[in-house]
Amino acid sequence: MELPSSPDAIDPHNADVKDLKRRRPPESFDILDVTDVLWTLTNRCNLRCIYCHAIPHARTLEPEPTGTQIDHVLQQLRLLPALQSLIVSGGEALISPHVERVLQQAEAIAPVCYVITNGTVLGQRQKQLLRAYHPRTMVSVDSIDETENTTTRGPGVLQKSLDSIKWLLDSGIYTIVIIVLTRSNCDGIQNTIESLYETGVRNILVQQLHCTTAAMGDSFIELSPLHGAIRNLFTLIDGWRRERPDLVIDDSEICFFLRRERDRLLKCDPRQDYLPQRLFMCGAGFNFLALKANGDVIPCNAFLDCVAGNVHQQDIRAILCDSPQFRGLRNLRTHRVDEIPGCRDCPDNPVCDGGCRADVYNLTGEIGNPHPHCPRLARRPDVCGFDERAMDLRDAGATNL
């Protein structure tokens, strides 16, 4: 079976197409694979979060996209026939003069549209747009404790964000709260989630801090939570899922390695030998891609410097299918996780792909190094190759190989 060449002639959710995908080589790519796009609509932001790439206080050295350029990006996105979600981000997406134009056309591009906001700029215009188009709205709040939230997001922010969350819930808009877990807010994470639940929030994304832009190098090491704190959160989330089945918490990033331990116990027969997992099973560059405000195409916002092309200069399909950058990343799937130093004898390697390769590359300069958050590599500087300060990310209670 071959895929028809015309996007109009196919049903990307057809069972035969899905079966074909399963039988393809792991590094292969087809335009039907792309289901999610994150679009940085503007680089401008009214905040100065300590880990973010956005330009603070609405100042930007790069020119903002014009209306004509926005229309061109929208046309390019229509060339992705299997697109399921369009995620509109920033900077602060809701201060972009083009946000209404994007929301108007989003439904014709993907069934689901998300808007990511810090929740501090919901004036009358923004509220009218959210009421009119009802995008799923993601609001960033790092803690309900004023001191903890101020540490990462700045003063005078928390109450505005909480007021916006209440307005969104009262307006019947699907609301998700994003919490970026750092060493600053991990002690109060239980209170934060319980307080949000009492407010009426039922969807929470606990996001991993990524090693990029303002959180590179030493900052990434100093801001990242200790492994013991992540394990405590993992236990708490398990309890909430049992006690509050209506509360949906996405911890797939922050608890990635702990979930691999559990997956092995649930899925692997100890009497059976398994091949190690392939590298780079993340969707970046396969089913997910990101667009910068200037039109650059990247695998995700953690790979900010891995520019595969620009939609104002090339067809997005040609960029996705032919760029050397995307081909190189996809070829990682021809390798297996046991090629990472220290992962060869790990019992979890049948279900673990080694973690975020962007973090590893940005921190160490080598895409094949171990991830600094892996608890099984704690106290193993002989295989990690990281600075000693990175070793401090794991506490003495971590499980050693």
Side-chain angles (χ1 to χ4, degrees):
M1 171 185 174
E2 293 184 1
L3 291 178
S5 57
S6 168
D8 297 328
I10 61 167
D11 174 4
H13 311 294
N14 180 281
D16 290 337
V17 173
K18 290 183 178 181
D19 183 61
L20 178 62
K21 288 182 181 182
R22 284 193 291 267
R23 292 185 280 111
R24 284 172 10 205
E27 73 280 10
S28 66
F29 173 78
D30 189 278
I31 205 68
L32 289 174
D33 295 334
V34 182
T35 56
D36 306 282
V37 171
L38 173 68
W39 184 4
T40 297
L41 198 58
T42 175
N43 288 315
R44 298 185 300 145
C45 189
N46 60 314
L47 300 186
R48 190 193 291 267
C49 300
I50 61 175
Y51 45 68
C52 186
H53 69 278
I55 308 296
H57 305 307
R59 296 193 304 269
T60 176
L61 300 177
E62 292 186 8
E64 288 290 283
T66 65
T68 300
Q69 289 173 325
I70 292 293
D71 287 340
H72 181 72
V73 173
L74 291 165
Q75 291 171 4
Q76 290 283 291
L77 291 174
R78 288 190 179 92
L79 300 176
L80 304 176
L83 198 62
Q84 291 298 294
S85 71
L86 176 63
I87 308 158
V88 182
S89 183
E92 171 50 56
L94 291 179
I95 66 174
S96 167
H98 307 300
V99 65
E100 181 172 6
R101 184 189 308 240
V102 172
L103 292 178
Q104 282 175 340
Q105 300 189 46
E107 188 176 353
I109 293 170
V112 179
C113 177
Y114 295 86
V115 171
I116 301 178
T117 176
N118 58 45
T120 67
V121 295
L122 263 67
Q124 286 303 114
R125 172 178 173 266
Q126 288 80 13
K127 288 180 177 179
Q128 287 172 359
L129 292 177
L130 295 175
R131 280 197 196 100
Y133 300 106
H134 265 248
R136 297 187 180 191
T137 304
M138 308 176 82
V139 184
S140 299
V141 174
D142 285 348
S143 174
I144 53 93
D145 178 84
E146 183 69 51
T147 301
E148 289 183 355
N149 199 70
T150 297
T151 299
T152 53
R153 306 188 67 78
V157 172
L158 177 60
Q159 192 56 54
K160 292 178 182 178
S161 298
L162 294 177
D163 289 346
S164 292
I165 290 170
K166 185 177 186 305
W167 178 86
L168 288 162
L169 293 170
D170 290 345
S171 301
I173 296 171
Y174 191 102
T175 306
I176 304 165
V177 173
I178 303 175
I179 303 170
V180 178
L181 195 69
T182 65
R183 208 173 294 195
S184 302
N185 64 353
C186 58
D187 288 343
I189 189 69
Q190 180 174 1
N191 288 337
T192 294
I193 292 179
E194 289 179 347
S195 176
L196 290 170
Y197 182 84
E198 291 171 4
T199 303
V201 173
R202 293 297 181 268
N203 296 279
I204 296 174
L205 167 61
V206 185
Q207 198 164 38
Q208 173 187 324
L209 176 72
H210 285 289
C211 182
T212 183
T213 58
M216 291 283 279
D218 288 352
S219 295
F220 176 71
I221 292 167
E222 292 161 6
L223 287 170
S224 292
L226 296 171
H227 175 68
I230 298 175
R231 187 172 285 278
N232 288 340
L233 174 62
F234 186 63
T235 303
L236 282 171
I237 291 174
D238 272 355
W240 284 322
R241 285 183 174 133
R242 289 191 300 270
E243 299 164 8
R244 300 170 180 173
D246 57 335
L247 175 60
V248 178
I249 301 179
D250 183 346
D251 64 343
S252 56
E253 275 196 355
I254 191 64
C255 295
F256 174 84
F257 289 103
L258 297 175
R259 295 222 162 272
R260 303 289 81 73
E261 293 179 17
R262 175 169 295 177
D263 284 350
R264 171 179 57 85
L265 295 172
L266 292 174
K267 298 178 180 179
C268 296
D269 184 340
R271 300 164 297 180
Q272 177 71 44
D273 290 331
Y274 297 91
L275 284 172
Q277 179 60 277
R278 294 184 183 277
L279 282 178
F280 202 66
M281 295 307 291
C282 151
F286 285 88
N287 65 284
F288 179 89
L289 65 97
L291 288 172
K292 292 185 181 182
N294 66 358
D296 283 348
V297 180
I298 54 178
C300 68
N301 274 358
F303 266 128
L304 279 173
D305 295 329
C306 184
V307 178
N310 188 289
V311 293
H312 299 306
Q313 301 166 6
Q314 301 162 268
D315 187 296
I316 193 170
R317 295 167 296 186
I319 296 171
L320 291 168
C321 294
D322 301 330
S323 74
Q325 291 83 359
F326 278 174
R327 285 183 181 274
L329 287 176
R330 291 167 189 149
N331 280 337
L332 288 175
R333 289 194 178 183
T334 65
H335 299 270
R336 294 188 181 272
V337 71
D338 60 336
E339 296 179 45
I340 295 176
C343 295
R344 177 180 298 276
D345 299 319
C346 176
D348 296 335
N349 71 26
V351 293
C352 179
D353 71 348
C356 176
R357 294 295 93 198
D359 286 344
V360 170
Y361 179 76
N362 292 336
L363 183 63
T364 73
E366 294 289 343
I367 205 164
N369 271 339
H371 196 286
H373 288 175
C374 174
R376 291 190 177 277
L377 292 175
R379 310 298 176 184
R380 290 290 304 276
D382 56 314
V383 296
C384 278
F386 291 134
D387 185 299
E388 283 186 3
R389 287 166 295 175
M391 291 293 98
D392 294 337
L393 287 173
R394 278 83 64 188
D395 58 13
T399 304
N400 295 325
L401 280 175

